[in-house]
mmCIF file of all heavy atoms in Angstrom:
data_model
loop_
_atom_site.group_PDB
_atom_site.id
_atom_site.type_symbol
_atom_site.label_atom_id
_atom_site.label_comp_id
_atom_site.label_asym_id
_atom_site.label_seq_id
_atom_site.Cartn_x
_atom_site.Cartn_y
_atom_site.Cartn_z
ATOM 1 N N ALA A 1 -4.946 13.889 17.430
ATOM 2 C CA ALA A 1 -6.080 14.325 18.258
ATOM 3 C C ALA A 1 -7.187 13.277 18.283
ATOM 4 O O ALA A 1 -7.778 13.000 19.337
ATOM 5 C CB ALA A 1 -6.622 15.651 17.732
ATOM 6 N N LEU A 2 -7.469 12.664 17.130
ATOM 7 C CA LEU A 2 -8.544 11.673 17.062
ATOM 8 C C LEU A 2 -8.172 10.382 17.785
ATOM 9 O O LEU A 2 -9.012 9.772 18.453
ATOM 10 C CB LEU A 2 -8.897 11.387 15.603
ATOM 11 C CG LEU A 2 -9.697 12.481 14.890
ATOM 12 C CD1 LEU A 2 -9.766 12.213 13.394
ATOM 13 C CD2 LEU A 2 -11.104 12.594 15.478
ATOM 14 N N LYS A 3 -6.930 9.970 17.659
ATOM 15 C CA LYS A 3 -6.509 8.759 18.370
ATOM 16 C C LYS A 3 -6.575 8.984 19.884
ATOM 17 O O LYS A 3 -6.944 8.077 20.642
ATOM 18 C CB LYS A 3 -5.100 8.341 17.924
ATOM 19 C CG LYS A 3 -5.045 7.812 16.495
ATOM 20 C CD LYS A 3 -3.638 7.415 16.075
ATOM 21 C CE LYS A 3 -3.249 6.048 16.592
ATOM 22 N NZ LYS A 3 -3.889 4.951 15.843
ATOM 23 N N LYS A 4 -6.252 10.196 20.305
ATOM 24 C CA LYS A 4 -6.297 10.504 21.728
ATOM 25 C C LYS A 4 -7.736 10.583 22.238
ATOM 26 O O LYS A 4 -8.060 10.072 23.321
ATOM 27 C CB LYS A 4 -5.574 11.823 21.994
ATOM 28 C CG LYS A 4 -5.541 12.226 23.462
ATOM 29 C CD LYS A 4 -4.776 13.539 23.661
ATOM 30 C CE LYS A 4 -4.744 13.938 25.130
ATOM 31 N NZ LYS A 4 -4.010 15.213 25.336
ATOM 32 N N SER A 5 -8.625 11.218 21.463
ATOM 33 C CA SER A 5 -9.997 11.431 21.940
ATOM 34 C C SER A 5 -10.857 10.174 21.836
ATOM 35 O O SER A 5 -11.834 10.027 22.582
ATOM 36 C CB SER A 5 -10.668 12.570 21.159
ATOM 37 O OG SER A 5 -10.913 12.212 19.810
ATOM 38 N N THR A 6 -10.513 9.260 20.903
ATOM 39 C CA THR A 6 -11.364 8.089 20.676
ATOM 40 C C THR A 6 -10.744 6.772 21.128
ATOM 41 O O THR A 6 -11.469 5.827 21.451
ATOM 42 C CB THR A 6 -11.714 7.954 19.187
ATOM 43 O OG1 THR A 6 -10.523 7.616 18.431
ATOM 44 C CG2 THR A 6 -12.310 9.237 18.644
ATOM 45 N N GLY A 7 -9.416 6.679 21.134
ATOM 46 C CA GLY A 7 -8.757 5.412 21.436
ATOM 47 C C GLY A 7 -8.971 4.370 20.356
ATOM 48 O O GLY A 7 -8.733 3.169 20.573
ATOM 49 N N LEU A 8 -9.385 4.802 19.151
ATOM 50 C CA LEU A 8 -9.679 3.881 18.050
ATOM 51 C C LEU A 8 -8.651 4.001 16.936
ATOM 52 O O LEU A 8 -7.952 5.010 16.831
ATOM 53 C CB LEU A 8 -11.071 4.195 17.478
ATOM 54 C CG LEU A 8 -12.275 3.986 18.390
ATOM 55 C CD1 LEU A 8 -13.551 4.461 17.686
ATOM 56 C CD2 LEU A 8 -12.399 2.513 18.785
ATOM 57 N N PRO A 9 -8.573 2.991 16.067
ATOM 58 C CA PRO A 9 -7.746 3.123 14.862
ATOM 59 C C PRO A 9 -8.248 4.285 14.008
ATOM 60 O O PRO A 9 -9.458 4.563 13.976
ATOM 61 C CB PRO A 9 -7.944 1.790 14.135
ATOM 62 C CG PRO A 9 -8.435 0.846 15.174
ATOM 63 C CD PRO A 9 -9.221 1.667 16.156
ATOM 64 N N VAL A 10 -7.334 4.938 13.329
ATOM 65 C CA VAL A 10 -7.694 6.071 12.474
ATOM 66 C C VAL A 10 -7.178 5.823 11.061
ATOM 67 O O VAL A 10 -5.996 5.539 10.862
ATOM 68 C CB VAL A 10 -7.115 7.399 13.019
ATOM 69 C CG1 VAL A 10 -7.365 8.544 12.034
ATOM 70 C CG2 VAL A 10 -7.738 7.725 14.375
ATOM 71 N N TRP A 11 -8.081 5.901 10.104
ATOM 72 C CA TRP A 11 -7.732 5.801 8.685
ATOM 73 C C TRP A 11 -7.816 7.198 8.087
ATOM 74 O O TRP A 11 -8.440 8.093 8.649
ATOM 75 C CB TRP A 11 -8.717 4.902 7.931
ATOM 76 C CG TRP A 11 -8.701 3.459 8.318
ATOM 77 C CD1 TRP A 11 -8.066 2.863 9.374
ATOM 78 C CD2 TRP A 11 -9.387 2.403 7.628
ATOM 79 N NE1 TRP A 11 -8.310 1.523 9.385
ATOM 80 C CE2 TRP A 11 -9.118 1.204 8.323
ATOM 81 C CE3 TRP A 11 -10.201 2.347 6.503
ATOM 82 C CZ2 TRP A 11 -9.623 -0.025 7.925
ATOM 83 C CZ3 TRP A 11 -10.709 1.122 6.098
ATOM 84 C CH2 TRP A 11 -10.418 -0.047 6.795
ATOM 85 N N ILE A 12 -7.188 7.380 6.947
ATOM 86 C CA ILE A 12 -7.324 8.669 6.269
ATOM 87 C C ILE A 12 -7.531 8.432 4.776
ATOM 88 O O ILE A 12 -6.898 7.565 4.164
ATOM 89 C CB ILE A 12 -6.122 9.608 6.537
ATOM 90 C CG1 ILE A 12 -6.333 10.967 5.856
ATOM 91 C CG2 ILE A 12 -4.817 8.984 6.131
ATOM 92 C CD1 ILE A 12 -5.378 12.056 6.335
ATOM 93 N N HIS A 13 -8.453 9.199 4.232
ATOM 94 C CA HIS A 13 -8.819 9.122 2.815
ATOM 95 C C HIS A 13 -8.699 10.516 2.230
ATOM 96 O O HIS A 13 -9.264 11.477 2.769
ATOM 97 C CB HIS A 13 -10.263 8.617 2.698
ATOM 98 C CG HIS A 13 -10.855 8.762 1.325
ATOM 99 N ND1 HIS A 13 -10.887 7.736 0.419
ATOM 100 C CD2 HIS A 13 -11.459 9.815 0.713
ATOM 101 C CE1 HIS A 13 -11.481 8.132 -0.689
ATOM 102 N NE2 HIS A 13 -11.833 9.401 -0.539
ATOM 103 N N THR A 14 -7.981 10.654 1.123
ATOM 104 C CA THR A 14 -7.901 11.949 0.464
ATOM 105 C C THR A 14 -7.865 11.742 -1.043
ATOM 106 O O THR A 14 -7.881 10.618 -1.545
ATOM 107 C CB THR A 14 -6.676 12.756 0.940
ATOM 108 O OG1 THR A 14 -6.820 14.119 0.507
ATOM 109 C CG2 THR A 14 -5.374 12.197 0.393
ATOM 110 N N HIS A 15 -7.851 12.843 -1.757
ATOM 111 C CA HIS A 15 -7.707 12.861 -3.213
ATOM 112 C C HIS A 15 -6.506 13.735 -3.523
ATOM 113 O O HIS A 15 -6.201 14.669 -2.776
ATOM 114 C CB HIS A 15 -8.960 13.431 -3.875
ATOM 115 C CG HIS A 15 -10.192 12.599 -3.647
ATOM 116 N ND1 HIS A 15 -10.812 11.887 -4.647
ATOM 117 C CD2 HIS A 15 -10.920 12.353 -2.528
ATOM 118 C CE1 HIS A 15 -11.865 11.247 -4.155
ATOM 119 N NE2 HIS A 15 -11.946 11.515 -2.866
ATOM 120 N N ASP A 16 -5.830 13.458 -4.626
ATOM 121 C CA ASP A 16 -4.632 14.228 -4.942
ATOM 122 C C ASP A 16 -4.939 15.378 -5.884
ATOM 123 O O ASP A 16 -4.071 15.845 -6.626
ATOM 124 C CB ASP A 16 -3.561 13.311 -5.557
ATOM 125 C CG ASP A 16 -2.157 13.743 -5.174
ATOM 126 O OD1 ASP A 16 -2.001 14.506 -4.205
ATOM 127 O OD2 ASP A 16 -1.205 13.331 -5.862
ATOM 128 N N THR A 17 -6.159 15.862 -5.839
ATOM 129 C CA THR A 17 -6.634 16.919 -6.720
ATOM 130 C C THR A 17 -5.720 18.141 -6.699
ATOM 131 O O THR A 17 -5.366 18.687 -7.745
ATOM 132 C CB THR A 17 -8.051 17.346 -6.304
ATOM 133 O OG1 THR A 17 -8.846 16.186 -6.082
ATOM 134 C CG2 THR A 17 -8.697 18.205 -7.368
ATOM 135 N N ALA A 18 -5.355 18.580 -5.513
ATOM 136 C CA ALA A 18 -4.542 19.783 -5.373
ATOM 137 C C ALA A 18 -3.045 19.480 -5.317
ATOM 138 O O ALA A 18 -2.231 20.386 -5.139
ATOM 139 C CB ALA A 18 -4.961 20.551 -4.120
ATOM 140 N N GLY A 19 -2.675 18.203 -5.421
ATOM 141 C CA GLY A 19 -1.270 17.831 -5.451
ATOM 142 C C GLY A 19 -0.617 17.632 -4.105
ATOM 143 O O GLY A 19 0.593 17.409 -4.030
ATOM 144 N N ILE A 20 -1.409 17.690 -3.005
ATOM 145 C CA ILE A 20 -0.814 17.546 -1.677
ATOM 146 C C ILE A 20 -1.187 16.226 -1.007
ATOM 147 O O ILE A 20 -0.751 15.953 0.108
ATOM 148 C CB ILE A 20 -1.200 18.724 -0.752
ATOM 149 C CG1 ILE A 20 -2.718 18.760 -0.501
ATOM 150 C CG2 ILE A 20 -0.724 20.042 -1.329
ATOM 151 C CD1 ILE A 20 -3.130 19.812 0.519
ATOM 152 N N GLY A 21 -1.984 15.395 -1.688
ATOM 153 C CA GLY A 21 -2.470 14.169 -1.070
ATOM 154 C C GLY A 21 -1.374 13.219 -0.622
ATOM 155 O O GLY A 21 -1.432 12.660 0.479
ATOM 156 N N ALA A 22 -0.379 13.018 -1.467
ATOM 157 C CA ALA A 22 0.689 12.067 -1.139
ATOM 158 C C ALA A 22 1.494 12.537 0.073
ATOM 159 O O ALA A 22 1.808 11.755 0.968
ATOM 160 C CB ALA A 22 1.601 11.860 -2.344
ATOM 161 N N SER A 23 1.842 13.820 0.118
ATOM 162 C CA SER A 23 2.602 14.335 1.264
ATOM 163 C C SER A 23 1.749 14.317 2.530
ATOM 164 O O SER A 23 2.263 14.097 3.632
ATOM 165 C CB SER A 23 3.113 15.752 0.972
ATOM 166 O OG SER A 23 2.058 16.613 0.590
ATOM 167 N N THR A 24 0.459 14.513 2.370
ATOM 168 C CA THR A 24 -0.452 14.419 3.513
ATOM 169 C C THR A 24 -0.447 13.007 4.076
ATOM 170 O O THR A 24 -0.424 12.810 5.302
ATOM 171 C CB THR A 24 -1.875 14.820 3.080
ATOM 172 O OG1 THR A 24 -1.887 16.230 2.829
ATOM 173 C CG2 THR A 24 -2.903 14.485 4.152
ATOM 174 N N TYR A 25 -0.451 12.007 3.209
ATOM 175 C CA TYR A 25 -0.405 10.612 3.654
ATOM 176 C C TYR A 25 0.890 10.310 4.410
ATOM 177 O O TYR A 25 0.886 9.617 5.435
ATOM 178 C CB TYR A 25 -0.531 9.671 2.466
ATOM 179 C CG TYR A 25 -1.950 9.373 2.029
ATOM 180 C CD1 TYR A 25 -2.176 8.683 0.841
ATOM 181 C CD2 TYR A 25 -3.053 9.756 2.781
ATOM 182 C CE1 TYR A 25 -3.466 8.380 0.413
ATOM 183 C CE2 TYR A 25 -4.336 9.464 2.371
ATOM 184 C CZ TYR A 25 -4.546 8.774 1.182
ATOM 185 O OH TYR A 25 -5.812 8.471 0.771
ATOM 186 N N VAL A 26 2.006 10.808 3.905
ATOM 187 C CA VAL A 26 3.291 10.576 4.581
ATOM 188 C C VAL A 26 3.236 11.123 6.005
ATOM 189 O O VAL A 26 3.610 10.440 6.971
ATOM 190 C CB VAL A 26 4.449 11.221 3.798
ATOM 191 C CG1 VAL A 26 5.749 11.166 4.610
ATOM 192 C CG2 VAL A 26 4.642 10.524 2.454
ATOM 193 N N ALA A 27 2.747 12.351 6.140
ATOM 194 C CA ALA A 27 2.666 12.970 7.465
ATOM 195 C C ALA A 27 1.692 12.217 8.365
ATOM 196 O O ALA A 27 1.960 12.008 9.556
ATOM 197 C CB ALA A 27 2.235 14.431 7.325
ATOM 198 N N ALA A 28 0.564 11.795 7.806
ATOM 199 C CA ALA A 28 -0.450 11.100 8.605
ATOM 200 C C ALA A 28 0.050 9.751 9.097
ATOM 201 O O ALA A 28 -0.143 9.384 10.267
ATOM 202 C CB ALA A 28 -1.726 10.923 7.778
ATOM 203 N N MET A 29 0.710 8.991 8.220
ATOM 204 C CA MET A 29 1.229 7.676 8.631
ATOM 205 C C MET A 29 2.318 7.821 9.676
ATOM 206 O O MET A 29 2.379 7.056 10.649
ATOM 207 C CB MET A 29 1.730 6.903 7.408
ATOM 208 C CG MET A 29 0.602 6.309 6.574
ATOM 209 S SD MET A 29 1.172 5.186 5.254
ATOM 210 C CE MET A 29 1.544 6.369 3.966
ATOM 211 N N ASN A 30 3.160 8.812 9.516
ATOM 212 C CA ASN A 30 4.222 9.033 10.495
ATOM 213 C C ASN A 30 3.684 9.553 11.825
ATOM 214 O O ASN A 30 4.380 9.492 12.847
ATOM 215 C CB ASN A 30 5.269 9.997 9.933
ATOM 216 C CG ASN A 30 6.159 9.344 8.895
ATOM 217 O OD1 ASN A 30 6.370 8.134 8.924
ATOM 218 N ND2 ASN A 30 6.658 10.125 7.948
ATOM 219 N N ALA A 31 2.445 10.041 11.805
ATOM 220 C CA ALA A 31 1.801 10.484 13.054
ATOM 221 C C ALA A 31 0.990 9.369 13.695
ATOM 222 O O ALA A 31 0.412 9.567 14.763
ATOM 223 C CB ALA A 31 0.903 11.686 12.777
#
């Protein structure tokens, strides 16, 4: 959604506090 609305590069920053950060990164990079 952000790449479509902005036309800009998108980075993502998270913490693995709840144990889902790594899987979130996999999904984000593949998107």
Side-chain angles (χ1 to χ4, degrees):
L2 285 169
K3 290 180 80 75
K4 181 179 180 180
S5 69
T6 68
L8 295 175
V10 174
W11 294 10
I12 182 166
H13 168 97
T14 193
H15 296 249
D16 213 18
T17 314
I20 63 174
S23 54
T24 290
Y25 275 171
V26 171
M29 283 188 276
N30 285 333

